Amino acid sequence: MSLTFRWQSPSNIALVKYWGKRDPQLPSNPSISFTLDACHTQTHAIFEPGQGIQVLLNGEDAPNFVPKISQFIERIGHRHAWLGDYSLKVDTVNSFPHSSGIASSASGLSALALCVVDAALALGAPLQESDARREASILSRLGSGSASRSVYGGLVVWGATHSVPGSHDEYAVPYPHAVHPMFRTFRDVVMLVDVGQKAVSSTAGHALMERHPFAQQRFNQAHQHLSDLQSILRDGDLMPFLDLVESEALTLHGLMMSSQPSYILMRPNTLHIIEAIRAHRLSTGMPIGFTLDAGANVHVLFPAEVEQKAMDFVKQILAPFTKNGRYIVDQVGTGPVPLTDQAKPK
Ligand code: DP6
């Protein structure tokens, strides 16, 4: 029997960063992210009795992605033994350009995990709907830690921490506390500073946290930040929100710079953009800030209410520091969508 499923799943941007892990893909500290909207992957997975893996990216054969998918299928095999009897064809399309420097692992692996869970349900796995989403988060995590957070919309927490009831190291949960409505439509404009391959992968970066001299302090700080966010998110305290999020981004890069061996992923234009954002916030009082993922691109964060002025600033002042003036306009999204004939891709 051939089983076919299609999901659209988004990327996410962490506000408190996951940095450091232990086997099997368990985080050294809790993290929280905004699920994105425009940056997503649409995946069509076909399972047929037999063996083998084939990957199509944007309609073209992509054999270089096969090892990553094989590793994923191997890692989740203990939970889904049936996969051993099926071949897999993955046909996947990213909404953002492959060369943009935006990691497709969170959106891509969560989309595939959602297809695997649907297939398991079709084969009679005893999962309720809420268990199914949790299972998709567990499987996504086994593929790539940050992917665990992409299976829900809005604010999502991964990693057990005392201030977030229900939080867990094995899967992500929707942020359970009150959130000011402003954060449901927060904007994230990704300034594409460097679009090449990263010099040091996230996976290698996580490994360097094992012997990092500041590791324990950092892990404690992440718990504290999650706890500090509770009133900030509830009350919509914008300036403390931006301060905390920026401190997280700079801490992440500070950890890279103080790893053994040390390395730097920011580029000169990353710093130009950061300084311009801070100067603009100081001189105008506009609530605009930034975060960084494990790369040189800058995510510019601001609430929808200042969109017009913020976008003028992005276009006039920040865009000249990017590669060919490129940036991606995104915002907080509502999470994955199953794609059927009724729900066509956006
Ligand atoms: C800096 O999830 O890409 O984006 O688990 O090894 O696949 P693996 O790493 P990955 O690390 C993401 C790190 C980060 C912070 C975050 O998303 O929380």
Side-chain angles (χ1 to χ4, degrees):
M1 181 176 60
S2 163
L3 300 161
T4 295
F5 300 95
R6 298 178 66 203
W7 276 89
Q8 172 176 301
S9 191
S11 186
N12 68 75
I13 180 70
L15 305 170
V16 173
K17 309 289 182 179
Y18 145 57
W19 201 240
K21 63 174 162 180
R22 59 188 200 281
D23 273 345
Q25 288 274 104
L26 298 170
S28 299
N29 65 262
S31 56
I32 184 168
S33 55
F34 275 145
T35 291
L36 296 177
D37 184 46
C39 290
H40 60 242
T41 297
Q42 293 180 344
T43 290
H44 183 179
I46 303 164
F47 305 89
E48 277 177 337
Q51 300 293 315
I53 291 177
Q54 189 192 356
V55 182
L56 298 179
L57 180 62
N58 301 324
E60 290 187 16
D61 211 16
N64 46 335
F65 280 86
V66 171
K68 178 101 191 158
I69 304 293
S70 299
Q71 185 194 45
F72 173 62
I73 296 296
E74 235 164 71
R75 282 188 189 170
I76 66 173
H78 65 289
R79 299 183 75 88
H80 293 272
W82 61 270
L83 281 166
D85 300 327
Y86 283 79
S87 70
L88 170 61
K89 184 174 163 187
V90 183
D91 187 348
T92 192
V93 178
N94 291 329
S95 66
F96 44 95
H98 176 54
S99 63
S100 66
I102 306 261
S104 57
S105 56
S107 52
L109 288 169
S110 55
L112 182 55
L114 287 156
C115 293
V116 170
V117 170
D118 274 359
L121 286 170
L123 291 168
L127 288 170
Q128 302 296 323
E129 205 177 309
S130 60
D131 296 346
R133 203 50 78 91
R134 174 174 295 183
E135 179 68 12
S137 181
I138 293 173
L139 301 185
S140 302
R141 181 201 101 234
L142 289 166
S144 176
S146 55
S148 66
R149 298 184 307 242
S150 276
V151 305
Y152 299 105
L155 283 158
V156 185
V157 174
W158 170 44
T161 190
H162 57 89
S163 67
V164 181
S167 57
H168 205 284
D169 282 350
E170 288 179 28
Y171 49 82
V173 294
Y175 186 65
H177 296 301
V179 174
H180 192 285
M182 166 212 310
F183 292 113
R184 289 197 206 113
T185 56
F186 228 70
R187 304 306 201 234
D188 175 9
V189 180
V190 194
M191 309 308 296
L192 302 177
V193 171
D194 190 1
V195 297
Q197 191 78 20
K198 278 187 280 190
V200 181
S201 72
S202 288
T203 302
H206 288 294
L208 290 174
M209 285 305 285
E210 276 164 33
R211 287 168 291 106
H212 199 290
F214 308 143
Q216 199 49 54
Q217 291 286 22
R218 158 60 193 157
F219 302 148
N220 296 344
Q221 179 196 44
H223 286 277
Q224 185 60 48
H225 278 168
L226 256 302
S227 162
D228 294 346
L229 274 173
Q230 199 171 324
S231 64
I232 291 176
L233 291 172
R234 181 192 63 215
D235 300 340
D237 286 340
L238 271 172
M239 293 304 180
F241 173 76
L242 296 174
D243 281 344
L244 187 151
V245 168
E246 291 186 355
S247 141
E248 274 288 323
L250 295 178
T251 297
L252 169 70
H253 284 257
L255 290 166
M256 295 171 189
M257 289 191 264
S258 49
S259 289
Q260 204 60 263
S262 60
Y263 62 107
I264 304 175
L265 293 184
M266 290 189 283
R267 306 300 310 144
N269 281 344
T270 309
L271 290 179
H272 282 302
I273 291 174
I274 288 174
E275 289 189 341
I277 291 171
R278 287 192 155 177
H280 194 67
R281 183 163 78 228
L282 204 62
S283 65
T284 63
M286 183 194 284
I288 186 167
F290 69 87
T291 188
L292 305 165
D293 60 12
N297 297 332
V298 183
H299 290 246
V300 187
L301 300 171
F302 52 88
E305 67 197 35
V306 300
E307 175 151 51
Q308 205 165 345
K309 285 205 171 110
M311 284 310 298
D312 287 346
F313 170 68
V314 163
K315 283 179 206 152
Q316 285 160 22
I317 308 296
L318 303 185
F321 292 117
T322 64
K323 203 102 182 160
N324 305 321
R326 284 172 67 203
Y327 56 88
I328 296 175
V329 181
D330 209 341
Q331 68 177 74
V332 176
T334 52
V337 195
L339 299 175
T340 61
D341 288 341
Q342 287 76 40
K344 284 271 189 250
K346 280 202 262 188

